[in-house]
Amino acid sequence: MYLIYFAIIILVPLWAQMRVKSTFTKYSQVPSSTYRTGAEIARGILNANGLYDVAVEEGHGFLSDHYDPRSKAVRLSPENYHGHSIAAAAVAAHECGHALQDSEGYAFLRFRSTLVPVANFGSNISWILIMIGIFAHLSGLLLLGIIFMAAAVLFQIVTLPVEFNASSRAMDQVVSLGLIANREEREARKVLSAAALTYVAAAAVAVLELLRLVLIFTGMNRSNDD
């Protein structure tokens, strides 16, 4: 059973990563009909929504695209910043979706932002407490580690509606503003759906790992009672 479990938590994220890379590679070779770069797509969406203060910058690394709420900047990887493809348009629009969420005070985004310090602390210290609790047979320490890990898992779960909503906003924007043709919407959605799989896989694995630790804690308590 443990072999099956570890195979799942290793293979599922790997499959999701391979899916997003293959989908991105495929549609990064398909130019959009408007032939606008990702940077132009992003700037068009931001300007259309009055977000002139949000910068569009070239980032570094493959698929390193993100929105930085602190500096109010959409950062696109070189492939998407300069690319004229369906994939570049979809990714650029998605990151602008986060900028729109930020400007409107989207509830899940605000909640996720408040969880960041707790989730970071929890992910860093939880496994230390968990391992000591398991090997020293200290159920109280194990429980504390599980609580900290639960905060990190909650962050990943809250990330799901944030990402799905950003993708939904992205598609509404690129189609309504004419940044891609209507017939290209399906291909753009495939890119964003593949990217969403990585978040779903990460959340699913995190929940499974948390449940496994809860079972270990329950078993430890039963053995202590005996």
Side-chain angles (χ1 to χ4, degrees), residues 67-81:
Y67 169 67
D68 186 346
R70 293 168 299 179
S71 60
K72 303 296 181 184
V74 169
R75 297 197 177 98
L76 303 176
S77 58
E79 297 87 353
N80 293 326
Y81 187 89

Side-chain angles (χ1 to χ4, degrees), residues 98 101 106 108-109 112 158-167:
H98 288 308
Q101 291 173 337
Y106 180 59
F108 280 108
L109 181 66
R112 188 180 71 167
V158 172
T159 293
L160 296 179
V162 173
E163 295 299 326
F164 288 135
N165 179 263
S167 291

Side-chain angles (χ1 to χ4, degrees), residues 132-144:
I132 294 174
I134 291 175
F135 286 110
H137 211 71
L138 299 172
S139 60
L141 204 59
L142 173 58
L143 177 60
L144 185 60

Side-chain angles (χ1 to χ4, degrees), residues 124 127 167:
N124 289 330
W127 277 110
S167 291

